[in-house]
Amino acid sequence: MEPTSLSDSRQCALGRLAGDVMAPSILLLLVEDEPLIIDVLEEALNDSGFEVVKASNGTKALKKIDADAAKFRAVITDIRLGSEPDGWAVARHAREIIPNMPVVYMSGDSTHEWASQGVPGSVMLAKPFAPAQLVTAVATLVTEADMHPPPPPAG
Amino acid sequence: MEPTSLSDSRQCALGRLAGDVMAPSILLLLVEDEPLIIDVLEEALNDSGFEVVKASNGTKALKKIDADAAKFRAVITDIRLGSEPDGWAVARHAREIIPNMPVVYMSGDSTHEWASQGVPGSVMLAKPFAPAQLVTAVATLVTEADMHPPPPPAG
Amino acid sequence: MEPTSLSDSRQCALGRLAGDVMAPSILLLLVEDEPLIIDVLEEALNDSGFEVVKASNGTKALKKIDADAAKFRAVITDIRLGSEPDGWAVARHAREIIPNMPVVYMSGDSTHEWASQGVPGSVMLAKPFAPAQLVTAVATLVTEADMHPPPPPAG
Amino acid sequence: MEPTSLSDSRQCALGRLAGDVMAPSILLLLVEDEPLIIDVLEEALNDSGFEVVKASNGTKALKKIDADAAKFRAVITDIRLGSEPDGWAVARHAREIIPNMPVVYMSGDSTHEWASQGVPGSVMLAKPFAPAQLVTAVATLVTEADMHPPPPPAG
Amino acid sequence: MEPTSLSDSRQCALGRLAGDVMAPSILLLLVEDEPLIIDVLEEALNDSGFEVVKASNGTKALKKIDADAAKFRAVITDIRLGSEPDGWAVARHAREIIPNMPVVYMSGDSTHEWASQGVPGSVMLAKPFAPAQLVTAVATLVTEADMHPPPPPAG
Amino acid sequence: MEPTSLSDSRQCALGRLAGDVMAPSILLLLVEDEPLIIDVLEEALNDSGFEVVKASNGTKALKKIDADAAKFRAVITDIRLGSEPDGWAVARHAREIIPNMPVVYMSGDSTHEWASQGVPGSVMLAKPFAPAQLVTAVATLVTEADMHPPPPPAG
C-alpha cells in the first residue's frame, strides 16, 4: 500500500525506525473475542505508534503472558471473553508476573465490577468509547510504568 | 468522499461500528460562537472518535442540556459567547443536572477567572491550544467520569 | 480516666458533638488478628476523630459487612488473618456492596501481592508504618469517596 | 493551663517559635455559624499548628477577605451560614483576589451542590467528618498552593 | 503535496487559523542530536497541532532558551546530546527562567538518572516509546502549566 | 516523664511495639542547621510515629546516607545548611542511591529554586509551615514509595 497521507508516511518512517534505531517496538497485548472490534482497536493503536499482539480469548492470552510477559508494555482486555478465564483473571495473572504492568479493561456490562475485580492503577473504559480514550489511557499508563519500575520479585 | 488513508478508513470502520456493535456514539456538546473555530475543533474531535453536537451560544447550549443532558459525555465550552449566558453558566447548569459531567473550558482572555468561576475537576485550555490538548483533556475526563459514576440525585 | 490535655478535651468535645450536632460518628471497619496491634491502631484512629469497629478475622469481618456495609466509611484490613478469608477477599466483598468503599491494606510480607490482588484506588501500608501514615491514608480516602459518590447498583 | 503532655509542650515550643524564628504564623480563615462546631474545629487546627481567624457569617468573612486576603493561607467554610452570602460566594470571592487560595468546604446537606458551585481544586468535607480529614485536607492544599504560586493579577 | 485526507485538511485549516484567529502558534523546543529521530518526533508533534523549534545539541538549546524562553510552551529533550550540556542541564536552565515550563525527557540508557537529575513535575519517556506517549505527555503538561501559571520572579 | 494523656500512652505502646512486634522503626533523615527548629520538627514527627536521625549540615547528612541509605524511609532537608553541600545536593545524592527515596524540602528564601533544583516527586514546604504539613507530606510520600518500589540498580 502506498503512503497517501502525512499520517501514513509517519507510520512508515516509524516502522523503519522501529526496525533500526528505536527497536524494539512498543508491544501491547490486546484481548478481545469480537473480531470486528479487535481490528478497529488494533488500527487505532497502530496509528498511535503501538504494535499489538492479539488474543481472542483468555486461555490464549494467558499463554502469551506465560511465554514472555516482559515483552508487553501493557495489557488491554475485554472482560467477557466467551469462556473462562475472563479479563479480570487475565489482568491479575499479568500483574502476578509483572507487578507494574499497565492494565486497561474494556466492557459494556461489567463496568460496575471494576471496583471489586480490577487491579490497582488500572483504567476501565466503558463501551462505547472513542479510540482516543484508549490511546490516551494506554499512553499515560505506559509512560507512568516506565517512570516507576517494577518491584523486586516476591521471593 | 473516498477513504484515502488509514485514518479515513478507520473512521469509516468506526462509523459502521457506531451504528452497529458499539452504538450509541460518544457525543460531546461543543459550545463556541466563532464558526471557523468550532468547525476546526469538531474535526479534531471527530478524528479522535468523538461526535459533536454544536451550539453557537449559551442559550442554545442550555436548551440542548435541558432537552437531554444525559446523552452528552462531556461539555466543551468557550467562555465568551457573544451574549449571556456565558460558558461559566453553561457548565454550572450541566453539572446541576449531571454532577460528574466532564467540563472543558476554552478561553483567550478569561483564563484568570477559572480559579473562581470554574467547576471542580474541570480543565481550562488557554487559547491558542493544540488540538491534541483538547482531545487529551476530553479523553481523560470522559474516562475518569465513567470510572466514578454520578452521585444519586440531591432530593 | 480524667482528660489531662488539650488533645483529650478535644476528643471529649467531639464525643459530645458526635452524639448531638455532628452525629452519626465516622465509623471504620478495622480487621486485624493481632490483639496488640489492633488496639494501637484503634487508639491512633480514635485520636484522629474516627471510631472503629474491630474484627479479629475475615469471617467476622464479612459478617459485619453483610449486616450493614453502608455504615462503614472505610475498611482497614490486614492481609493474613489466621484463616480464610484473607484481607484481599474482605476488601473485594466490601467493594461488591459499596463500590466506592475506601480500602487500606496493611501487611508485612504480602505487599508484593497488592498489584494483583488489591482493588482500584486502595492504599497498601507496608509494616512497619507510622500511625500518621494510616491516619493520612484513611482521611484522604474517606474525603475522596465523599466527593465521588458510589455508582448506582449493578442490577 | 499547665502543659501536661508532649503534645502540649510541642504547641508551646511552636508558639514561641511562631513569635520568633518561624513567624509569621500560618493563618486560616474559618467560616462557620455554629459556635460549638467552630470551636471544635479551631482546636483541631490549632493542635496541628495552624492559627485561625473566625467569621460567624458570610458578610464578616468577606470583610476579612477584603481587608487582607493575602494573610490567609486557606479558607475553610461551611455552606449554609444563616444568611447570604453563603460559603460558595465566600470561596469565589477569595479566589477572585487570590487565585490559588486553598478552599475547603464543609456541609451536611449541600454536598451535592459542590459539583456545580465549588471552585476548582477545592475539597468538600461531608459532615460528619473526623478532625483528621480537615487537617489532612488543609495541610495538603496549603502545601500544594505554595508549590504552585498564584498567577499574575488579571489586569 | 496535496492534502489527501481529513487529517491533512485539518492541519491546513489549523495552519490558516494559526496565522489568523488562533495565532500565535503553540511552540515547543525539541532537543535531540539524532537527525532521523528528531524529524519523526517533529512530524508526530505537527500532526497533533504543535509547532517545533529544533536544536541538535545542548549549546544551541541554551541559546534559544536565553533568546526567548517565554515563547516555548514546553521543552522536550534527549539526555545525551553528543557534548555538554546534556538534557538535564537544558531543562534545569529552562526552569530557572520559566519556573513552570513543562519538561519531557527522552532517553534510552539514562532513565535511571531521572529520579536524581530530573526536575519536579517532568515526564521521562523511556526509548523506544510510541509517538502517542510523547503527544499525550506534552498535551497534558502544557494544559496543566496554563492552569497553574508561573510564580513571580525570585528577586 | 510520666505518661499523662492518651496521646502519651499511645506513644509508649507504639514504642514497645516498635521494639517488638512492629520493629524496625520508621526512620527519617532530618537535615537542618537551626537547633531550635530541628528539635520542634523532631517532636512533631515523633508524635506522629516516626523516628528521626538528625544531621546539622550537608556533610554529616551525606555521611549518614553513604553509611546506610536504605535504612531511611525519607529525607527531610532544609536548603541552606550553613556550608556546602546544600539541601539540593543532599536530596540528589540520596536519590542516586535509593531512586524512590521520598524527599521533603523546607525553605524560607529558596522555594523559587525548587522548580529547577528539586527532584521529581518531591515536596517543598515554604517556611513558615504547620507541623501537620510536614507530617502529612512525609506520611503520603512514604506510603506512595512503599507502593511503588525502587527500580533495579542502574548498572
mmCIF file of all heavy atoms in Angstrom, chain C residues 33 71 107 109 112 135 146:
data_model
loop_
_atom_site.group_PDB
_atom_site.id
_atom_site.type_symbol
_atom_site.label_atom_id
_atom_site.label_comp_id
_atom_site.label_asym_id
_atom_site.label_seq_id
_atom_site.Cartn_x
_atom_site.Cartn_y
_atom_site.Cartn_z
ATOM 1 N N ASP C 33 -5.841 -9.586 63.136
ATOM 2 C CA ASP C 33 -5.928 -10.697 64.087
ATOM 3 C C ASP C 33 -4.954 -10.584 65.253
ATOM 4 O O ASP C 33 -5.009 -11.406 66.180
ATOM 5 C CB ASP C 33 -5.741 -12.029 63.354
ATOM 6 C CG ASP C 33 -4.366 -12.150 62.716
ATOM 7 O OD1 ASP C 33 -3.705 -11.099 62.517
ATOM 8 O OD2 ASP C 33 -3.954 -13.269 62.391
ATOM 9 N N LYS C 71 -22.699 1.521 56.810
ATOM 10 C CA LYS C 71 -22.365 2.320 57.992
ATOM 11 C C LYS C 71 -20.858 2.555 58.117
ATOM 12 O O LYS C 71 -20.438 3.408 58.892
ATOM 13 C CB LYS C 71 -22.935 1.682 59.255
ATOM 14 C CG LYS C 71 -22.166 0.488 59.778
ATOM 15 C CD LYS C 71 -22.753 0.017 61.103
ATOM 16 C CE LYS C 71 -22.096 -1.276 61.551
ATOM 17 N NZ LYS C 71 -22.751 -1.828 62.757
ATOM 18 N N SER C 107 0.223 -4.819 55.580
ATOM 19 C CA SER C 107 0.856 -6.137 55.509
ATOM 20 C C SER C 107 2.358 -6.038 55.652
ATOM 21 O O SER C 107 2.976 -5.035 55.301
ATOM 22 C CB SER C 107 0.525 -6.820 54.181
ATOM 23 O OG SER C 107 1.123 -8.106 54.162
ATOM 24 N N ASP C 109 4.368 -9.089 54.834
ATOM 25 C CA ASP C 109 5.001 -9.966 53.847
ATOM 26 C C ASP C 109 4.153 -10.186 52.593
ATOM 27 O O ASP C 109 4.535 -10.969 51.719
ATOM 28 C CB ASP C 109 5.334 -11.316 54.484
ATOM 29 C CG ASP C 109 4.103 -11.930 55.144
ATOM 30 O OD1 ASP C 109 3.005 -11.341 55.041
ATOM 31 O OD2 ASP C 109 4.250 -12.990 55.763
ATOM 32 N N HIS C 112 3.829 -7.423 48.084
ATOM 33 C CA HIS C 112 4.103 -7.652 46.662
ATOM 34 C C HIS C 112 2.871 -8.192 45.932
ATOM 35 O O HIS C 112 2.826 -8.196 44.717
ATOM 36 C CB HIS C 112 5.274 -8.618 46.500
ATOM 37 C CG HIS C 112 4.985 -9.978 47.077
ATOM 38 N ND1 HIS C 112 5.104 -10.258 48.419
ATOM 39 C CD2 HIS C 112 4.544 -11.114 46.501
ATOM 40 C CE1 HIS C 112 4.764 -11.501 48.643
ATOM 41 N NE2 HIS C 112 4.416 -12.053 47.501
ATOM 42 N N VAL C 135 -3.504 7.225 59.418
ATOM 43 C CA VAL C 135 -4.487 8.299 59.562
ATOM 44 C C VAL C 135 -4.571 9.131 58.280
ATOM 45 O O VAL C 135 -5.667 9.454 57.801
ATOM 46 C CB VAL C 135 -4.132 9.187 60.778
ATOM 47 C CG1 VAL C 135 -4.989 10.443 60.792
ATOM 48 C CG2 VAL C 135 -4.302 8.399 62.066
ATOM 49 N N ASP C 146 -16.305 10.646 49.579
ATOM 50 C CA ASP C 146 -17.468 11.513 49.756
ATOM 51 C C ASP C 146 -17.628 12.462 48.570
ATOM 52 O O ASP C 146 -18.743 12.851 48.230
ATOM 53 C CB ASP C 146 -17.330 12.334 51.045
ATOM 54 C CG ASP C 146 -17.551 11.482 52.282
ATOM 55 O OD1 ASP C 146 -18.104 10.382 52.158
ATOM 56 O OD2 ASP C 146 -17.161 11.926 53.381
#
